[in-house]
Amino acid sequence: MSDTYPTLAQCAVVAGALKILLLPAYKSTDFEVHRNWLAITHSLPLWEWYYDTTSEWTLDYPPFFAYFEWILSQVAKLADPAMLRVYNLEYDSWQTVYFQRFTVILTELVLVYALQMYVDSSRGASKRAAQAAAISILLSPGLLIIDHIHFQYNGCMYGLLIASLVLARKRSTILASGLLFAALLCMKHIYLYLAPAYFVFLLRAYCLSPKSIFRIRFLNCIKLGGGVAAIFGTAFGPFALKGQIPQIMSRLFPFARGLCHAYWAPNVWAIYSFVDRVLITLAPRIGLPLKAEALQSVTRGLVGDTSFAVLPDISPRTCFTLTLLFQAIPLVKLFFEPTWDNFIGAVTLCGYASFLFGWHVHEKAILLVIIPFSLIALKDRRYLSAFRPLAVAGHVSLFPLLFTPAEFPIKTVYTIFWLILFLVVFDRLAPASNRPRFFLFDRFSTLYIAVSIPLILYCSLIHGVVFGKSYEFLPLMFTSSYSAIGVVGSWVGFLVVYFAS
């Protein structure tokens, strides 16, 4: 892969053509969610946006995303005004489908621009690696599955995240990096998971003197604090004047939901849930007490319905404490060594911690780890060893999002092709490390990847042939638990590499 061929623009054109072919593909409830948000922001006064309950899919993103939907709605009325009627629930005319699909493709140009920024900011031999990493993100199966089939707008927002990370690479643009991230927080609050790394990096690299942590750059503090306040004031200010902030917070943070999503995200709680399922079968033989009311809880696929039959239940406070603890560990190194590589590593590890230990984590949040990690996966072969199982586990864990037969060959063939292509390319481009590699971890990566193919075949094909409609949750449990092992293993490997560097 050379410095100039294929270019990001060329890959974007080819990827765009594929995504246009997928316009008639399966669409999840998220399609109706965003159609409803178009209708809410277009048809209702600003003060009713976060109060409307006409649909069960109420507006639960921060105000900048609501403004984004309002802007789209001004164009949507030219395509099909009927999609903008609040009471027109489940409306999906072909004009509506094509309009929403095309907006995802077009807004993903933000991602293309940000990735080009990343490539242009790299120098020398690392530029080829940066180009390979950028193309891998652009062609990510995760973005294809989540945005262009399942239906969301993550490509645009991850473009803003990458642009913010790239701006942090130069001292002259660190302020712009922080302000852009603040704007991103006002679009989607899931990026709060990464905020601790930004806080520490901006504090150490921008607000404190590089010569002494006891010398404060007051002017920089004023510029950063004033800029962030202005951004949040623009987003939330109109609603604050109406006393609506508590209502918005209740929409953004619905803590009544259970520990696990309807389909387990591949984190430590998926492993915890799997162990509980195993202990249920062993309990009568080894004399363990069972909570009868919890026997079906974690396999019923219901939101807000997670309790364990043998193991102790997990509280939101436990999740919050563990998340903060494991986020704090890399932040210590970042504070004392505020380099760009350490910053990207800390952002990635904050994403890991929140995904692995968070409360009611969605499987789609794995991109919070995969995308920033991709920017430094080719730093040396030790980083690549930690990235491999994450790339496999993270993308395989998204397969249950597309459960219709028509999408099975698309998600499977595309993901396998992407994994083979980019893991081979990455293997050729990643330089050797000047520190010893962890061969035990290399063996784990190889074995883990080898298991993925039979697992996919069983969960997607063989289980249905053998059991029909019975034990429907079993393939989901196997997929989630297998993926969780890969994500946890990758996290442990990356932690070791991060602190050994």
Side-chain angles (χ1 to χ4, degrees), residues 14-95:
V14 174
L18 171 63
K19 292 160 187 175
I20 289 173
L21 292 176
L22 294 175
L23 291 181
Y26 161 82
K27 56 185 185 297
S28 72
T29 53
D30 281 344
F31 179 86
E32 169 60 16
V33 168
H34 289 278
R35 187 217 58 82
N36 185 54
W37 293 359
L38 285 172
I40 288 173
T41 56
H42 183 81
S43 303
L44 298 179
L46 181 70
W47 322 118
E48 296 181 23
W49 288 2
Y50 287 95
Y51 284 88
D52 180 75
T53 56
T54 305
S55 167
E56 63 178 308
W57 312 118
T58 53
L59 181 59
D60 59 5
Y61 274 26
F64 273 0
F65 196 88
Y67 302 156
F68 168 75
E69 293 278 9
W70 178 85
I71 293 171
L72 292 181
S73 74
Q74 305 311 302
V75 183
K77 64 185 179 184
L78 303 178
D80 185 355
M83 78 172 82
L84 302 176
R85 296 171 190 158
V86 174
Y87 291 95
N88 218 355
L89 303 181
E90 306 295 336
Y91 185 77
D92 63 348
S93 67
W94 70 265
Q95 294 96 328

Side-chain angles (χ1 to χ4, degrees), residues 47 233 236-245:
W47 322 118
F236 291 93
F239 301 96
L241 292 175
K242 290 286 187 176
Q244 294 187 358
I245 298 301

Side-chain angles (χ1 to χ4, degrees), residues 8-268:
L8 277 169
Q10 290 167 338
C11 292
V13 170
V14 174
L18 171 63
K19 292 160 187 175
I20 289 173
L21 292 176
L22 294 175
L23 291 181
Y26 161 82
K27 56 185 185 297
S28 72
T29 53
D30 281 344
F31 179 86
E32 169 60 16
V33 168
H34 289 278
R35 187 217 58 82
N36 185 54
W37 293 359
L38 285 172
I40 288 173
T41 56
H42 183 81
S43 303
L44 298 179
L46 181 70
W47 322 118
E48 296 181 23
W49 288 2
Y50 287 95
Y51 284 88
D52 180 75
T53 56
T54 305
S55 167
E56 63 178 308
W57 312 118
T58 53
L59 181 59
D60 59 5
Y61 274 26
F64 273 0
F65 196 88
Y67 302 156
F68 168 75
E69 293 278 9
W70 178 85
I71 293 171
L72 292 181
S73 74
Q74 305 311 302
V75 183
K77 64 185 179 184
L78 303 178
D80 185 355
M83 78 172 82
L84 302 176
R85 296 171 190 158
V86 174
Y87 291 95
N88 218 355
L89 303 181
E90 306 295 336
Y91 185 77
D92 63 348
S93 67
W94 70 265
Q95 294 96 328
T96 303
V97 173
Y98 278 45
F99 171 79
Q100 292 194 236
R101 295 286 198 196
F102 271 116
T103 58
V104 175
I105 295 172
L106 291 174
T107 56
E108 204 172 56
L109 291 175
V110 175
L111 176 64
V112 178
Y113 180 78
L115 290 171
Q116 189 62 57
M117 286 176 58
Y118 168 62
V119 174
D120 293 342
S121 70
S122 303
R123 296 289 181 268
S126 66
K127 191 158 190 173
R128 291 184 65 200
Q131 185 179 9
I135 294 174
S136 77
I137 294 172
L138 178 63
L139 303 180
S140 166
L143 290 175
L144 183 77
I145 290 171
I146 296 173
D147 280 12
H148 300 282
I149 302 179
H150 188 79
F151 193 84
Q152 286 191 5
Y153 289 94
N154 291 286
C156 172
M157 289 182 284
Y158 278 111
L160 296 177
L161 175 64
I162 291 172
S164 173
L165 294 173
V166 173
L167 289 171
R169 206 166 192 173
K170 293 172 59 178
R171 289 193 175 274
S172 60
T173 53
I174 288 180
L175 175 61
S177 168
L179 298 183
L180 183 57
F181 182 71
L184 179 60
L185 289 178
C186 294
M187 282 199 76
K188 192 169 184 179
H189 50 302
I190 194 174
Y191 296 100
L192 276 171
Y193 292 147
L194 311 182
Y198 270 88
F199 175 81
V200 171
F201 180 74
L202 291 170
L203 173 67
R204 187 64 183 87
Y206 188 72
C207 295
L208 300 179
S209 169
K211 298 180 180 179
S212 172
I213 61 174
F214 300 105
R215 292 175 58 186
I216 302 173
R217 297 171 166 182
F218 288 103
L219 180 59
N220 285 2
C221 292
I222 292 172
K223 288 191 289 186
L224 179 61
V228 171
I231 289 169
F232 275 83
T234 303
F236 291 93
F239 301 96
L241 292 175
K242 290 286 187 176
Q244 294 187 358
I245 298 301
Q247 173 65 16
I248 294 177
M249 292 299 106
S250 69
R251 287 283 182 88
L252 301 185
F253 303 102
F255 289 110
R257 295 177 179 177
L259 171 68
C260 298
H261 194 231
Y263 157 59
W264 306 343
N267 57 16
V268 295

Side-chain angles (χ1 to χ4, degrees), residues 308-327:
F308 299 98
V310 179
L311 297 176
D313 288 339
I314 303 298
S315 67
R317 179 176 296 181
T318 300
C319 293
F320 184 71
T321 302
L322 289 173
T323 300
L324 284 185
L325 172 64
F326 286 108
Q327 285 188 336

Side-chain angles (χ1 to χ4, degrees), residues 193-194 323 327 349-359 361 368:
Y193 292 147
L194 311 182
T323 300
Q327 285 188 336
L349 286 167
C350 282
Y352 267 119
S354 58
F355 183 82
L356 290 173
F357 301 100
W359 178 265
V361 175
L368 277 176

